[in-house]
Amino acid sequence: MQASPTSPGAAETQAPSATDPSAAPGAAVDAVAELIGVTKVYRKSAAAPPVLALRGVDLKIRRGEHLAIMGASGSGKSTLMNILGCLDRPTDGRYRIDGAEASEMTDRDLSQVRGQRLGFVFQAFNLIPQLTVLENAATPLFYQGVPAGERVKRSARALERVGLGDRMQHRPAELSGGQQQRAAIARALVNEPALILADEPTGALDTSTSDTILELFDELHAGGVTLAVITHDSAVAERAERTIVMRDGLIDQQVYR
Ligand code: ADP
Ligand code: MG
């Protein structure tokens, strides 16, 4: 890549980079998350051959979008999710989340971003069995140092939103799978994140329970929540506005609905 010109006005004469869709004229969207030329190379040891898990991914997630991420096993979905979720950093390229440049952050700053701007939903719910549903939903606020009274108020509100207002004092084991996933979704919502990342959120649920969870996602999306959902299930992907299909560390296909 050429060095940028430094003389005033010269930048306007530069053609947009072919690999950077954000540089295209008229491409102004309110992107909540933006990856530019993101690569990820894993190296198990100095002797092992490097694995190119991401090979230059450009992706913008629009504020309010409902995005599905598909692709065969090994195509780079989890690696992409880890970077979107600030659980890992790109080897190269840039990642901006909700206006913050994450590619250059320290671990401490990344964990701040995770706590304040991101929500996570997992296949296995990942609730803490010893805690009540209310306490589970409040955990992100606990790590933010939000005072107890405020934590209760906000997590109760999130639980009402997912239809668990009458189950707040229960333990996870006393709930059905669908209710446990609702509790996990309340936990993801409680900090009003810029982006919710869900990894196979219906993978552990039967079809009819899955449907109720997908309806909840639709409702949240209609209420303005930005969602990125990894799934193998085309029925899940069909509810999204856009599906990207990963292959060999790149976005291979995009389908808009
Ligand atoms: P997917 O989630 O689509 O199955 P992954 O992102 O988990 O794909 O993996 C992409 C590629 O990176 C695969 O070849 C995988 O073996 C490799 N990989 C993932 N994580 C690691 C790691 N921690 N160390 C080495 N290789 C890894
Ligand atoms: Mg994976």
Side-chain angles (χ1 to χ4, degrees), residues 57-78:
V57 172
D58 296 316
L59 174 66
K60 270 184 185 179
I61 304 176
R62 181 176 52 78
R63 204 176 291 277
E65 183 169 3
H66 182 181
L67 175 74
I69 301 170
M70 298 188 84
S73 179
S75 60
K77 302 181 299 295
S78 295

Side-chain angles (χ1 to χ4, degrees), residues 76-229:
K77 302 181 299 295
S78 295
T79 304
L80 178 63
M81 186 79 143
N82 289 344
I83 289 172
L84 287 171
C86 293
L87 295 157
D88 205 352
R89 261 183 295 262
T91 302
D92 212 341
R94 281 167 48 199
Y95 176 40
R96 205 178 301 138
I97 169 74
D98 201 25
E101 189 66 48
S103 24
E104 284 155 20
M105 283 182 191
T106 61
D107 288 351
R108 193 156 172 270
D109 289 343
L110 284 177
S111 81
Q112 278 270 336
V113 170
R114 280 199 302 277
Q116 291 173 357
R117 307 186 204 226
L118 294 162
F120 296 88
V121 179
F122 306 96
Q123 177 169 356
F125 322 136
N126 297 13
L127 298 169
I128 300 171
Q130 296 84 355
L131 300 183
T132 64
V133 164
L134 185 73
E135 290 162 344
N136 266 286
T139 49
L141 303 177
F142 180 83
Y143 290 115
Q144 298 288 313
V146 174
E150 181 71 15
R151 290 204 298 269
V152 169
K153 216 186 308 167
R154 284 167 64 183
S155 37
R157 206 185 307 139
L159 286 162
E160 301 277 359
R161 200 164 167 196
V162 302
L164 282 184
D166 57 349
R167 293 287 186 279
M168 296 199 260
Q169 298 306 330
H170 289 245
R171 311 268 160 194
E174 297 161 358
L175 303 184
S176 69
Q179 288 172 328
Q180 289 185 55
Q181 194 58 307
R182 281 173 191 274
I185 293 168
R187 179 182 57 194
L189 282 168
V190 78
N191 56 1
E192 294 174 28
L195 174 64
I196 290 185
L197 296 165
D199 194 354
E200 295 284 355
T202 60
L205 302 173
D206 64 63
T207 311
S208 75
T209 309
S210 282
D211 284 345
T212 65
I213 294 297
L214 295 176
E215 277 159 27
L216 173 60
F217 277 143
D218 287 347
E219 272 170 42
L220 297 175
H221 172 238
V225 169
T226 310
L227 280 170
V229 181

